[in-house]
Amino acid sequence: MSSPAAVFIHYANLSLSHAENTFNKIPGSPILVRYIKSSYKNDPWRSLLELFLVVFAIRTVFQSRTRARREKNFVKLTEKEIDELVDEWIPEPLATPLDSFEAHELATLPVISGPAGPKPKLLNTGKTVLNLASYNFTGLQNNETIKERAIETLRKYGLGSCGPPGFYGTIDVHVQLEKDIASFLGTESTIIYSQGFTTISSVIPAFCKRGDIIVADRGVNFGIQKGLQISRSTIRWFDHNDLKSLEEVLESVAKETKKKRMPLTRRFIVTEGIFENDGAMVDLPKLVELKQKYKYRLILDESISFGTVGRTGRGLTELYNVPASQIDMLVGSMANGLCATGGFCAGSRVVVDHQRINGTGFVFSAAMPALLAVSASEGINILTSAPSLLTALHENIRTIRQVLEKVDLIEIPSHPGSAVVHVYIKNPNASSNGLLSPSSKPAVHPTSTKPSNPSSIIPRNHVEHDYAHEERLLQEVVEEALAQGVLITRAKRLRGQEGLEPRASIKISATSALTKKEVEKAAGIIKNAFIKVLGKKR
């Protein structure tokens, strides 16, 4: 005779079997079961969280809606008490009040009257200045051919696209621009985004998901940092522009995977061609070699190098003679290199088509205006047919550096081929002439032969600088140069939001739109401004 427990278990199994059969008869139930098993087998905590949210939602829907209306849950106030509370209430400010430095910077901000070009006119003084602050690298900003084509397109298509690219925002000029960029770079296909900043921050999460591994440079720009954050991938950091450190991190990831028997996941290397924060340039052939050796995909941001590096502005692939097909995802900016707007991602057709339904900046943004798409296409035609623009740009870069490198008070971290020249105040520990006050000298941690922790964006031998003090000195240099007729700018940062705070610097943007003589004059004025401002701090 069976025991009561055995009878209970028997009937429980029958009930569960009946419930399972009933559930399987519901249309779509096998798909749901298969989805849960395949998607969450490596992430049970997420499954528990979603189950909790479902239960909470059901409870919220069916709970009593009249409970909150009971008078016992409210404090009765007289009309006088209500008026007193309203009079005492002080709303919080929508933004943090400006400090004295920010208020001064805003008050002295130069305002340009008329079109912004290599020699703009200032509104407050009426004086014409030499512009080394705009990303007008090859002088396309005031090109008459581009202007004429833009006006023709404006009259034909109107101003806005009035829709996202995947719906009804794409027109023939957008398709042509994608073909022009792919042909220019030598890739199979290209996708264009309407905003430059959101390009890289959309490309990364389109391919990198939770559980994937990304090995990134510690000095990447803010857009890349946002993309890494959105991807929710496992991030491993290597020292800034140090490919030996990159190889050590790749090797450590391989050992960790083998030791812990981790499942095979997608792996990516993310870095920049020319770094936005300091102008350093990556060794692309060595980077491709490591990528192939350790079987990683490479996401390369060429927002600064595209349109400025190489004989015709094709970027690092042209400079180092590396086929663009060896870069899995080549990202660039049309706003910087072509004086238009938006960005692009070039690669294989599979890579591009995937982004058309997974790239958030592409799917959820309106397509770029047709006139700017035509302007970008025309810019590519000009760079291809007139390599002398790049020759003049590179000559002007050398001229700027030759003048500024003679100043002992500053240092230039940028690569000699970078059209964006960053200038730092020289480290006071580098010589006996300290430029900063004793309280503002950087705190240098003891050097160590041990590598940095790959899990932290902060390097082991991190040097902390007095950012605020250096900014004030650099702002004086900017104002002194402007008073002498040269427009430059400090590199503006989102303080408190960067993973690793970049050092304060002045950013000089070279251009081929000025003659060599004009560039020599501008560089001499900047040199004298540094000497005048920093010389007083000796």
Side-chain angles (χ1 to χ4, degrees):
M1 185 175 180
S2 301
S3 64
V7 173
F8 174 77
I9 293 174
H10 174 70
Y11 280 106
N13 289 333
L14 289 177
S15 300
L16 289 174
S17 177
H18 178 71
E20 182 179 1
N21 292 333
T22 303
F23 177 76
N24 290 334
K25 293 178 182 179
I26 300 175
S29 59
I31 298 177
L32 178 62
V33 173
R34 185 168 63 251
Y35 172 77
I36 294 174
K37 288 182 179 179
S38 62
S39 299
Y40 302 129
K41 61 182 179 181
N42 295 324
D43 196 0
W45 294 109
R46 181 174 176 179
S47 300
L48 292 176
L49 176 62
E50 291 188 352
L51 178 61
F52 170 77
L53 292 176
V54 169
V55 173
F56 179 78
I58 294 174
R59 177 181 176 276
T60 303
V61 170
F62 290 101
Q63 72 178 357
S64 173
R65 307 241 176 195
T66 59
R67 182 172 55 188
R69 299 178 183 176
R70 298 173 184 171
E71 294 185 0
K72 66 178 182 180
N73 293 330
F74 294 90
V75 177
K76 292 183 177 180
L77 299 175
T78 64
E79 290 295 328
K80 182 179 180 181
E81 290 174 329
I82 293 175
D83 292 337
E84 290 176 351
L85 289 174
V86 171
D87 293 336
E88 293 174 359
W89 179 69
I90 300 177
E92 295 183 1
L94 295 177
T96 305
L98 299 179
D99 58 30
S100 58
F101 174 69
E102 292 171 333
H104 170 75
E105 182 184 7
L106 184 62
T108 58
L109 191 69
V111 179
I112 293 176
S113 174
K119 299 177 183 179
K121 184 179 180 180
L122 299 184
L123 180 63
N124 55 343
T125 63
K127 184 167 62 174
T128 299
V129 295
L130 299 176
N131 186 1
L132 293 180
S134 301
Y135 281 0
N136 184 24
F137 300 121
T138 51
L140 300 178
Q141 191 173 34
N142 297 92
N143 186 278
E144 291 300 325
T145 304
I146 294 179
K147 286 183 180 179
E148 292 174 2
R149 294 282 289 115
I151 293 172
E152 292 173 4
T153 307
L154 177 62
R155 289 172 175 166
K156 180 179 179 180
Y157 295 95
L159 181 59
S161 59
C162 301
F167 192 24
Y168 53 83
T170 298
I171 54 179
D172 55 350
V173 294
H174 297 127
V175 177
Q176 184 60 47
L177 175 57
E178 291 180 343
K179 292 180 180 179
D180 290 341
I181 296 174
S183 175
F184 184 64
L185 295 175
T187 59
E188 186 179 1
S189 188
T190 297
I191 182 173
I192 59 173
Y193 290 77
S194 53
Q195 293 94 23
F197 178 84
T198 59
T199 301
I200 187 64
S201 57
S202 297
V203 171
I204 293 174
F207 296 95
C208 311
K209 307 297 181 183
R210 184 190 295 273
D212 295 337
I213 296 175
I214 300 177
V215 180
D217 191 295
R218 285 188 167 89
V220 293
N221 61 53
F222 187 66
I224 293 179
Q225 293 178 37
K226 290 288 101 179
L228 298 177
Q229 180 183 0
I230 296 170
S231 72
R232 300 180 301 172
S233 300
T234 301
I235 312 298
R236 294 291 180 263
W237 303 96
F238 66 94
D239 291 338
H240 178 43
N241 204 28
D242 186 346
L243 297 189
K244 181 180 178 182
S245 172
L246 169 60
E247 186 167 16
E248 291 173 352
V249 174
L250 296 177
E251 190 66 36
S252 68
V253 171
K255 290 180 179 179
E256 181 184 9
T257 302
K258 184 177 180 180
K259 181 179 179 180
K260 297 183 178 180
R261 297 181 180 180
M262 299 169 63
L264 184 64
T265 59
R266 292 168 294 193
R267 301 178 181 184
F268 302 84
I269 297 173
V270 179
T271 187
E272 296 180 69
I274 290 181
F275 288 86
E276 182 181 340
N277 288 335
D278 62 5
M281 182 185 293
V282 74
D283 184 350
L284 185 59
K286 179 64 175 178
L287 183 64
V288 171
E289 177 187 334
L290 292 176
K291 164 231 170 184
Q292 294 174 342
K293 178 181 177 180
Y294 290 93
K295 296 181 174 57
Y296 276 65
R297 293 181 176 91
L298 175 59
I299 302 178
L300 182 67
D301 186 355
E302 288 215 64
S303 293
I304 301 297
S305 49
F306 175 75
T308 65
V309 173
R311 190 182 71 87
T312 57
R314 287 174 167 86
L316 265 63
T317 55
E318 182 178 37
L319 178 67
Y320 287 107
N321 196 27
V322 174
S325 57
Q326 295 189 14
I327 314 299
D328 299 279
M329 282 142 273
L330 199 161
V331 180
S333 169
M334 294 177 289
N336 296 345
L338 300 177
C339 294
T341 189
F344 65 85
C345 178
S348 66
R349 190 169 302 279
V350 173
V351 165
V352 168
D353 289 345
H354 177 77
Q355 294 176 67
R356 297 194 190 280
I357 57 174
N358 289 279
T360 53
F362 180 85
V363 175
F364 299 109
S365 297
M368 71 169 63
L371 68 94
L372 292 174
V374 171
S375 298
S377 290
E378 195 62 36
I380 291 175
N381 295 335
I382 293 173
L383 293 181
T384 305
S385 59
S388 59
L389 293 175
L390 275 301
T391 303
L393 172 64
H394 299 157
E395 180 64 29
N396 287 345
I397 294 172
R398 287 191 291 269
T399 300
I400 293 172
R401 294 183 65 97
Q402 286 171 2
V403 174
L404 295 182
E405 285 172 350
K406 297 176 183 178
V407 183
D408 187 50
L409 307 174
I410 61 175
E411 55 183 322
I412 301 175
S414 305
H415 188 275
S418 172
V420 179
V421 182
H422 286 262
V423 183
Y424 293 158
I425 298 174
K426 181 168 284 188
N427 189 332
N429 294 333
S431 65
S432 58
N433 298 322
L435 302 178
L436 305 179
S437 61
S439 62
S440 64
K441 289 186 177 182
V444 182
H445 300 284
T447 57
S448 172
T449 57
K450 292 183 179 181
S452 302
N453 179 11
S455 300
S456 172
I457 193 174
I458 307 298
R460 180 174 296 275
N461 299 321
H462 180 52
V463 179
E464 297 177 356
H465 296 270
D466 189 336
Y467 189 95
H469 186 73
E470 290 189 5
E471 271 204 326
R472 284 176 168 80
L473 291 176
L474 295 176
Q475 182 61 29
E476 290 184 34
V477 174
V478 170
E479 294 173 8
E480 177 62 27
L482 182 62
Q484 301 303 320
V486 178
L487 181 62
I488 56 176
T489 181
R490 293 188 351 264
K492 303 301 175 66
R493 318 289 191 189
L494 291 171
R495 295 203 61 192
Q497 298 187 44
E498 300 267 4
L500 181 62
E501 196 78 42
R503 189 176 173 187
S505 67
I506 279 182
K507 184 167 61 174
I508 302 172
S509 301
T511 176
S512 64
L514 296 174
T515 65
K516 182 179 179 180
K517 187 175 181 180
E518 290 170 333
V519 171
E520 285 180 346
K521 176 185 176 181
I525 291 174
I526 297 171
K527 169 188 171 183
N528 294 334
F530 272 111
I531 294 174
K532 180 178 180 179
V533 173
L534 301 183
K536 296 185 298 185
K537 308 299 178 180
R538 283 179 177 268

